Amino acid sequence: MPYLKARHLSKSGKKWNELANENSYKLIYSGGEIRFASEMELENYIEENFTLIFPDLDLVKRQFSIKMQRTDLLCSTKLDQQPVIVELKNEEDRGLVPQLIRYRKILLIEKPFAEQINYSLPVKLIAVAPKFHEDNYSDKEASKFEDDICFMQFSLNNTNNLGEFELRGKSYNIPYPIFGLPSDSQNNVTSSGTLPAFTHNFANNIPSEYKQDFRDLRSLFIAQPKVKEMVSSSYRKILYATGDGINHKKLAEITITNKGIFLFLWLPTAVNQRLKRPIARFGLVLEPNHNPFSRNSVVEWVVCTKTTIDMKQKPTNDVGSSFNRNRMLKWSRGNKYVTYASYGENDSLITSVIKNMNPDSNLEPYYLLESYKKQNPNNLGWYIDLAITTWNYRLK
């Protein structure tokens, strides 16, 4: 049992998590955009504000399942009880129209809630999303139900560090904070809530002087799209990824050992022709007595490894060790990582990622990369930002 699951929670742990969830409603800021932390939180917000956002509709049932199909919001018009299906998306979805049409078909076959819905009228299909792919419009035009399909694009804005939901020219307040804003004061707000039960137990193994920095770092990781937080059964390892399987994307891992606390990040490697976006797991060895979670800590060594860091293998000079199959030195000085990760090709993954870290730069990617080599970035915050940018780049 490498990582704990919800089924491993005790009754007290479940109550603890319910409290943590109640205090964790948030928007997240990532890649210059604000979004809901999950589709479920988008649904929660729409349901809580349904009469304001959709004054002409009655909400019949949320998450209504029928014949292996599940609609987000099953509604009817107040005027004549016309059936309405509202599908909510927290991100762009190319398969949106076929999904709505499947819901329509099963709804007309089963005709649930007939006392509240007039099935003699056509079913109206509404999609609410922050973006619509061009395939959505093509599918709509090709559908014989085109006149019954409506796309509504929403946006999320920052108003004094609180969210604002905008739809059809009207704005609605969102009464919880925005996670991950580039502001120290905001990070303190969003990282001070109740931790989930497993995470709380993990944090108990962290020295007290590091706990707030851990919370701040955690807030950055879980603010990223599709990131899940998983804690090992020993409460000495925590993983931020889409899942713990070999084919899941990984962002970061923190391990607590008798030799210290180590942060591992998934970062770009030198070009590997077999991989479209070559990345590998790197452990960061800091200068002695540096905080393992502080952005200002200095990275002494970057260790390319799939397992633990064996400090006995630490090089005695700057030469490091031999190259591994990722075409990276297993041990390289922190200020040499960029040189090795961009070795051999100007269009390497790290070149693209660094360009994404500096979208306003007027330098060409090659010259921007060369400037980073000269700057010798070796503070922990730079590596954390690189991992987060790489994560979002890989999800495109």
Side-chain angles (χ1 to χ4, degrees), residues 3 276 295 367:
Y3 291 99
K276 182 179 179 181
R295 296 179 61 84
Y367 296 105

Side-chain angles (χ1 to χ4, degrees), residues 47 50-51 54 56-65 71-78 80-86 107 111-119:
E47 183 181 29
F50 188 83
T51 56
F54 296 105
D56 299 330
L57 300 181
D58 285 322
L59 177 59
V60 177
K61 186 72 174 179
R62 175 184 170 182
Q63 286 290 310
F64 179 62
S65 297
T71 62
D72 288 338
L73 303 175
L74 177 59
C75 312
S76 63
T77 60
K78 289 184 176 179
D80 50 15
Q81 295 186 314
Q82 179 183 4
V84 180
I85 294 173
V86 179
L107 188 67
K111 294 183 172 61
F113 305 102
E115 70 282 0
Q116 297 173 256
I117 299 174
N118 182 359
Y119 287 102

